[in-house]
Amino acid sequence: MRPHFYYFSFVIASLLLFPGFGTALSAKKPVKLNIAPQYNYGKMAQALPEKNSQSEVKRLNAEAIKLLGANRSEQALQTLQKALLLTTDTGQRWWEAVTLNNIGRVYQKQGQYSQALKSYEQALLINRELGDRVQLGKTYSNIGYLFDIQNRPDLAVFFYKHCLINREISRLVPAALEVDPDAYSITVAQTYRTLAERLLRAQRQISQAQRAMDLLKVEELQQYLLNVPGNQRTAKGIEISPEETPTKEKLDQTLDNAVVLGKELTKLRQISPERRSPQQKQRIAQLVTNQQQLLDRFNDFINSPQVRSQVEQINRTARRQNLDLESLNEIRDNLARLPQKAVLVYPLVLPDSLELVLVTADSPPIHRSVAVKRENLNQTISAFRQALQTPSQNAKKPGRQLYDWLIKPIENDLKQAGTQTIIYAPDEQLRYVPLAALYDGTQWLVQRYSINHITAASLTNFNTQPESKLRVLAAAFTKGNYEVRVGNRKFAFSGLPFAAQEVQSLATIIPGTKKILDDAFSLAATVPQLDDYTVVHFATHAAFVTGRPENSFILFGNGDRINLRDVANWSLPRVELVVLSACETGLGGKLGSGEEILGFGYQMQKTGARAAIASLWAVDDGGTETLMTAFYTLLNSSKLPKSEALRQAQIALITGKSPTSKQQNGSNNISLAVDGSLNHPYYWAPFILIGNGL
């Protein structure tokens, strides 16, 4: 018996596009967020006794999800119907929407797609009435996924876009993203990834796919760090195509009527059944009938020849369209302003392919697809890392394979663009390997291009010019032994013998460098000084560990340590560059999806620092001292951007020759003693620059 289940079946799939929630946002007006705080579950739970109806609703939903996971869908449905009765009887609208989403998931798993859609639509309307864009976006994702599994990529893309649009507006108030009930078929990050895939494959909308790929990285940061704020660039979301506009207008018209009916029905339902007058009971029945008629008309509409022809039109015109022009032109303008010819490269790792998107300053975005399974890609990444970290191994073979997958498909495009710098936004386990160490059969990639990593284009300012005068604080952990516990694991760290020499060399190159060693290199004494300098150099251990941000840390010379989450509390608006010269990833041999590396780049960026250099594995500190000497010599005596100075220093170790830099007034030969035995990428490749490379 389901007395309340269809009360909101009018919820019109027309909610597909209700006013203001599906439109592309204008950059000229600040985006405002409307979140109804009274529906924040965390606050409600504190205000109510533990054994109340809300706790019971939450328990029933959790029990149903377990039953669904055990393939006991009928029992799951019965459990959810109990929860739904409780929510409708007590007016718990937020939990009613959660329960309806879970009911939709049960019907979806049973293959009852029309019933699943009705349930999702009911949840959608409640989210709309509550002004809860976060849950609204996730419900859109559920509907998108429902159409995806029915092989309707057109409607899947449409709904996935609405998930992204609402999510990015919500990101302006990141605390709103914390409430996260388990009521959704896929995660938001999976939604963004799938949307990018569908835009590339089904609709060939490359610029929109690049936008989804960029915002995917912002969402990954949110999942890892929490409370990651958006900005006016992220809040623009993604555009609705012109071919989708007629559908939107039709649905908006239906929605206007549905919202009015829904509000009246909600008001009548607040009256207990025994106190309703005959007229009120009749009106409720009439409203439910009207709502069902709206829903039926909508379902007929989305399957009509008119909508089908619009989908065909999208596929026909996709090659000629360039949607999200505003976001794309902003990126192009940033690339055009860089002193070296730069391009932006996004890889997207999918289960059965690697999708590459290349953005240049002068041409439409370029898409190349590479047939490689994620499993094979990750195996090659693991083999490459092992070879890179072992000087006795040949890293060229796995480096060549990754080159063939990542660079060769866009090799001609890079040449045509006159590329000098690759701005790289790696995905998943690609974050664990340096692009600079890919091998083309003749030379390493760094010998052809500067490499500049970024978190996301929408979070990065490419063109902030550095101060001309370097002021350096150099700190080192040179002696002593400390033990660090990460979860149930212990790691022992000893002082770095060459660190003192590394700091002294830096002070010789850049007079006035402030040196801090060992016990003086403490958290309390060091951090307050950082923003007095343009370069902060730490020759000490740091580790990027999979899992929570609290697992990753920087070790100070006196044994203090700071975790990755707390680094964001530093204030470094005058710092151009933070260098960690002895850090590592994959501690304990475990590789995740690289969120800890993405998170490090973002946390440093959040401090106000323009860029950071870090290493991807523990490096021989003698080789590090040589590389850093070359890097700072170039940075101090030439007009090279940071990314190019790092490149020239790496080439010096590869060739064993002193680097040559070119100043504005002519050439300048920099004389350095470079050890030719440091040419293996173990010594020079781990260092990546993240952020503004100027």
Side-chain angles (χ1 to χ4, degrees):
M1 184 174 180
R2 307 172 201 166
H4 294 279
F5 181 66
Y6 290 107
Y7 260 24
F8 287 90
S9 37
F10 77 101
V11 182
I12 16 155
S14 47
L15 277 202
L16 221 186
L17 296 152
F18 43 79
F21 280 69
T23 55
L25 297 162
S26 171
K28 297 179 181 178
K29 295 181 180 179
V31 180
K32 295 182 179 179
L33 179 65
N34 179 21
I35 293 289
Q38 63 267 36
Y39 294 102
N40 183 306
Y41 171 70
K43 293 182 179 179
M44 291 191 294
Q46 295 174 8
L48 295 171
E50 185 178 356
K51 299 290 185 181
N52 59 19
S53 61
Q54 189 179 77
S55 298
E56 179 66 3
V57 169
K58 182 180 180 182
R59 185 192 69 78
L60 288 169
N61 271 273
E63 180 183 333
I65 293 302
K66 289 181 180 178
L67 289 167
L68 185 61
N71 292 319
R72 297 163 65 184
S73 58
E74 281 301 326
Q75 290 172 274
L77 190 58
Q78 292 170 10
T79 303
L80 289 168
Q81 287 164 356
K82 293 178 185 177
L84 189 64
L85 282 171
L86 274 175
T87 62
T88 54
D89 286 345
T90 57
Q92 299 175 51
R93 301 280 282 147
W94 192 86
W95 273 106
E96 184 180 356
V98 170
T99 305
L100 286 166
N101 268 298
N102 280 328
I103 289 173
R105 292 171 72 189
V106 176
Y107 282 131
Q108 178 178 289
K109 188 164 186 177
Q110 292 177 331
Q112 299 187 53
Y113 297 139
S114 63
Q115 293 293 83
L117 180 61
K118 289 178 182 179
S119 184
Y120 289 149
E121 290 165 353
Q122 292 172 32
L124 203 61
L125 180 61
I126 295 171
N127 296 146
R128 167 69 176 97
E129 290 182 356
L130 298 182
D132 191 337
R133 286 185 181 266
V134 176
Q135 303 310 321
L136 178 70
K138 291 184 177 183
T139 304
Y140 272 132
S141 173
N142 274 354
I143 297 174
Y145 183 75
L146 181 65
F147 282 115
D148 222 346
I149 61 178
Q150 295 177 78
N151 197 28
R152 292 292 305 273
D154 49 316
L155 289 176
V157 164
F158 191 82
F159 280 107
Y160 287 152
K161 282 184 179 180
H162 283 75
C163 171
L164 188 153
I165 288 166
N166 284 279
R167 183 73 167 183
E168 293 308 320
I169 295 174
S170 301
R171 206 182 301 285
L172 293 175
V173 183
L177 304 178
E178 292 182 8
V179 182
D180 194 13
D182 184 12
Y184 305 96
S185 299
I186 57 178
T187 67
V188 177
Q190 288 171 321
T191 303
Y192 283 36
R193 187 175 294 275
T194 305
L195 173 59
E197 178 187 4
R198 299 292 180 267
L199 287 166
L200 288 173
R201 291 182 172 180
Q203 296 191 357
R204 293 168 290 181
Q205 293 282 5
I206 303 173
S207 60
Q208 286 210 325
Q210 179 272 326
R211 178 70 173 164
M213 292 160 72
D214 193 67
L215 293 173
L216 166 63
K217 301 183 190 320
V218 185
E219 177 60 27
E220 287 177 319
L221 285 167
Q222 167 64 29
Q223 296 304 309
Y224 180 63
L225 294 168
L226 304 178
N227 286 312
V228 173
N231 54 42
Q232 290 300 315
R233 284 187 285 171
T234 60
K236 293 172 187 174
I238 196 166
E239 287 186 19
I240 300 299
S241 73
E243 287 75 21
E244 293 166 326
T245 301
T247 304
K248 178 188 183 313
E249 291 173 349
K250 175 72 173 179
L251 294 175
D252 283 346
Q253 182 182 4
T254 308
L255 175 69
D256 289 341
N257 297 329
V259 169
V260 172
L261 294 176
K263 289 181 178 179
E264 184 180 354
L265 184 57
T266 300
K267 201 170 184 180
L268 288 170
R269 287 180 64 198
Q270 291 172 350
I271 303 171
S272 60
E274 62 274 10
R275 297 182 60 188
R276 291 172 189 159
S277 68
Q279 292 81 6
Q280 288 169 333
K281 293 177 182 178
Q282 183 179 2
R283 180 57 178 163
I284 288 174
Q286 181 183 359
L287 288 171
V288 171
T289 299
N290 292 345
Q291 293 163 357
Q292 188 62 54
Q293 289 172 347
L294 284 169
L295 180 58
D296 290 341
R297 286 199 297 269
F298 167 74
N299 288 335
D300 289 340
F301 175 71
I302 61 174
N303 290 297
S304 68
Q306 178 185 353
V307 173
R308 297 278 184 178
S309 67
Q310 288 170 5
V311 173
E312 292 174 4
Q313 181 67 16
I314 291 174
N315 293 332
R316 283 196 301 269
T317 62
R319 290 184 183 275
R320 300 194 300 270
Q321 286 182 348
N322 219 351
L323 295 180
D324 280 309
L325 270 177
E326 186 175 4
S327 299
L328 181 61
N329 286 340
E330 185 176 23
I331 293 174
R332 286 173 169 171
D333 182 62
N334 281 334
L335 293 174
R337 291 173 182 270
L338 294 173
Q340 294 186 321
K341 282 274 190 179
V343 299
L344 193 57
V345 175
Y346 285 84
L348 180 70
V349 179
L350 299 174
D352 59 354
S353 70
L354 176 65
E355 307 296 324
L356 303 173
V357 171
L358 174 69
V359 181
T360 73
D362 306 314
S363 63
I366 295 163
H367 168 227
R368 305 285 182 241
S369 185
V370 181
V372 55
K373 292 186 179 299
R374 179 187 271 123
E375 181 182 2
N376 293 340
L377 176 66
N378 288 346
Q379 287 173 351
T380 305
I381 288 170
S382 180
F384 191 37
R385 271 189 64 94
Q386 183 177 354
L388 289 170
Q389 294 177 81
T390 310
S392 60
Q393 289 191 20
N394 187 342
K396 292 180 178 179
K397 184 176 180 180
R400 176 64 185 267
Q401 179 61 80
L402 286 174
Y403 179 91
D404 288 346
W405 287 335
L406 274 165
I407 300 299
K408 192 172 183 178
I410 57 173
E411 195 170 43
N412 289 334
D413 304 307
L414 293 172
K415 289 178 181 177
Q416 289 180 9
T419 306
Q420 296 170 291
T421 298
I422 295 176
I423 299 175
Y424 182 50
D427 188 33
E428 292 194 351
Q429 289 197 3
L430 289 170
R431 296 177 179 127
Y432 291 113
V433 294
L435 194 69
L438 270 53
Y439 190 71
D440 67 2
T442 304
Q443 58 185 343
W444 307 102
L445 193 67
V446 74
Q447 293 175 275
R448 294 166 56 188
Y449 306 109
S450 294
I451 313 292
N452 185 170
H453 290 235
I454 60 169
T455 52
S458 55
L459 297 177
T460 305
N461 293 319
F462 299 135
N463 298 313
T464 305
Q465 295 295 324
E467 289 192 30
S468 56
K469 183 175 176 57
L470 295 181
R471 302 187 308 278
V472 180
L473 182 147
F477 167 34
T478 70
K479 59 186 179 183
N481 298 277
Y482 299 108
E483 188 177 83
V484 175
R485 181 182 292 273
V486 177
N488 59 0
R489 294 177 295 171
K490 292 181 180 178
F491 300 98
F493 294 100
S494 301
L496 300 167
F498 279 83
Q501 184 176 333
E502 183 179 324
V503 167
Q504 182 55 50
S505 296
L506 208 168
T508 302
I509 296 165
I510 305 173
T513 293
K514 174 71 176 289
K515 296 184 292 182
I516 309 176
L517 302 178
D518 300 321
D519 287 342
F521 179 24
S522 68
L523 188 63
T526 306
V527 173
Q529 304 181 59
L530 298 182
D531 201 40
D532 293 330
Y533 300 89
T534 60
V535 176
V536 173
H537 183 99
F538 285 173
T540 185
H541 297 283
F544 305 138
V545 185
T546 58
R548 300 181 302 123
E550 290 80 4
N551 293 343
S552 298
F553 60 88
I554 300 171
L555 184 66
F556 285 70
N558 70 334
D560 290 342
R561 63 172 172 149
I562 187 169
N563 67 48
L564 187 55
R565 188 178 297 285
D566 292 338
V567 163
N569 295 326
W570 292 356
S571 178
L572 310 177
R574 291 184 286 186
V575 174
E576 297 290 341
L577 178 65
V578 176
V579 178
L580 300 180
S581 68
C583 48
E584 58 184 298
T585 60
L587 203 63
K590 181 181 177 182
L591 299 183
S593 292
E595 288 96 342
E596 65 275 20
I597 301 169
L598 182 71
F600 164 73
Y602 175 77
Q603 293 293 74
M604 282 298 174
Q605 186 175 325
K606 195 173 179 182
T607 68
R610 308 290 193 275
I613 289 177
S615 62
L616 294 175
W617 58 82
V619 188
D620 173 272
D621 59 341
T624 299
E625 192 270 331
T626 303
L627 179 73
M628 288 299 161
T629 297
F631 170 68
Y632 282 111
T633 300
L634 287 160
L635 199 63
N636 187 51
S637 61
S638 70
K639 300 298 181 181
L640 293 177
K642 295 186 285 285
S643 59
E644 180 62 17
L646 178 60
R647 171 179 177 260
Q648 293 291 345
Q650 291 173 318
I651 291 173
L653 266 66
I654 293 169
T655 63
K657 297 178 182 178
S658 181
T660 300
S661 70
K662 197 169 187 178
Q663 292 196 18
Q664 289 180 345
N665 59 353
S667 63
N668 177 39
N669 293 321
I670 297 174
S671 179
L672 290 173
V674 181
D675 188 345
S677 66
L678 302 177
N679 61 357
H680 190 279
Y682 166 75
Y683 298 103
W684 55 263
F687 297 97
I688 61 171
L689 185 146
I690 308 173
N692 185 325
L694 294 182

